[in-house]
Amino acid sequence: MSLVTLNKASGTPKYKQIVSSIETAILNGSLKKGDQLPSINSLRDSYSLSRDTVLMAFNALKNRGIIYSIVGKGYYVSSENIAISQKIFLLFDEFNAFKEDLYNSFIQSLNANIQVDIFFHHFNFKIFNSLIRDNIGDYNQYIIMPANLKNTALVLENLPKDKVFILDQVKPELNSYSAIYQNFEKNIMDGLLEAKSLLTKYNKLILIHDKKVQPIEMLSGFTTFCSDENFDSEIIDTVVNRALKKGEVYIIPEDRNLIHIIKKIKETKFILKKDIGIISYNDTMLKEIVEGGITTISTDFTKMGENLAKIITNKKKVRIENPTKLIIRNSL
């Protein structure tokens, strides 16, 4: 019990003195990663404290990722880095160039003493469910990108609502959470309307939409635009086995299909922009260069990361619609 020092005459709350004592023990090597701490009851009895005081100290250390608990066994040192002020659980659907921009922007906008652990669910509900349930209580904040998975609200109910932040897609059942989101229905309608004068030279607009991955709102925005503006249209889930026809414009949310389209254009001797049009989703530096430039409808992932860091820092409940714009290039 010598690792804890309490000064009853001090104006510092006792739980903070316990925290400081454990930090000191870690710094001087008395406690190392994996070591077990004295039990809550033993500290309570030895220093005539309330159980809540000791628990408050342990929870403060646990939330920073310095200690962890095993039910029925006790508390153990999980990290010797006491500089960490808080831990953030970040759950992406997948990792790609745009998510990398988001992640880097977010990290660069945070204080250096905040630890961010990143996970991926790959559009798999079982993985989504397991990752969240396995990390309940281990983090100060939980940033979740639910994508289009169903029943995510039932899983998130296990977390404190004020510690959860939703990214990108927000279903109606998640409207009570803080969020930075894209308005997929409005964004595709606005983008296509802005490009309407360029689209009129083509015969048909084709949206490549995989319902397992892409937002349903994107599909509804596309169909509404084509109906309102009298464009012939088609919806397919992949371009892999499709024969391209002159006069088609492809709206491509996912980059694997973009690569297939460009390859097919070269194989068929079609000319991009003249014979086949392309509108891709989510801008990258590569899309500025490939084939003289690919037209994109893109949200600002850097801005999303900056705003996310502000929300985490200010700890305020907000809902922010992230800006999206059409970038017209050689492919249209």
Side-chain angles (χ1 to χ4, degrees), residues 182-217:
Q182 296 188 61
N183 188 332
F184 289 95
E185 182 173 8
K186 176 178 179 291
N187 292 343
I188 192 169
M189 290 178 65
D190 288 349
L192 294 177
L193 191 61
E194 186 177 344
K196 181 181 175 182
S197 62
L198 297 173
L199 295 173
T200 54
K201 66 182 179 182
Y202 298 97
N203 302 324
K204 179 184 283 190
L205 275 59
I206 301 166
L207 173 66
I208 306 174
H209 186 273
D210 182 350
K211 63 182 180 180
K212 295 179 180 179
V213 177
Q214 304 302 333
I216 190 64
E217 294 82 5

Side-chain angles (χ1 to χ4, degrees), residues 226-245:
C226 292
S227 175
D228 290 349
E229 303 299 330
N230 297 313
F231 277 95
D232 188 18
S233 65
E234 186 178 352
I235 298 162
I236 60 176
D237 58 9
T238 181
V239 75
V240 173
N241 297 315
R242 184 182 180 88
L244 304 187
K245 295 180 181 179

Side-chain angles (χ1 to χ4, degrees), residues 36 69-76:
Q36 185 173 8
S69 61
I70 299 178
V71 177
K73 292 187 176 181
Y75 290 81
Y76 299 81

Side-chain angles (χ1 to χ4, degrees), residues 61-102:
L61 291 164
K62 185 178 178 181
N63 286 336
R64 289 164 53 197
I66 295 173
I67 67 173
Y68 68 98
S69 61
I70 299 178
V71 177
K73 292 187 176 181
Y75 290 81
Y76 299 81
V77 177
S78 58
S79 173
E80 296 177 19
N81 183 6
I82 67 168
I84 296 173
S85 63
Q86 57 180 308
K87 287 179 66 182
I88 295 173
F89 175 94
L90 176 59
L91 180 57
F92 277 173
D93 47 19
E94 63 180 356
F95 201 66
N96 50 37
F98 355 114
K99 305 293 170 54
E100 184 176 7
D101 289 342
L102 193 166

Side-chain angles (χ1 to χ4, degrees), residues 258 262 266 272 284-295 329-331:
L258 174 61
I262 292 174
K266 291 182 179 296
L272 183 64
T284 64
M285 290 179 65
L286 189 60
K287 292 176 187 178
E288 295 180 28
I289 302 168
V290 171
E291 298 299 310
I294 303 296
T295 296
R329 299 196 180 103
N330 186 60
S331 68

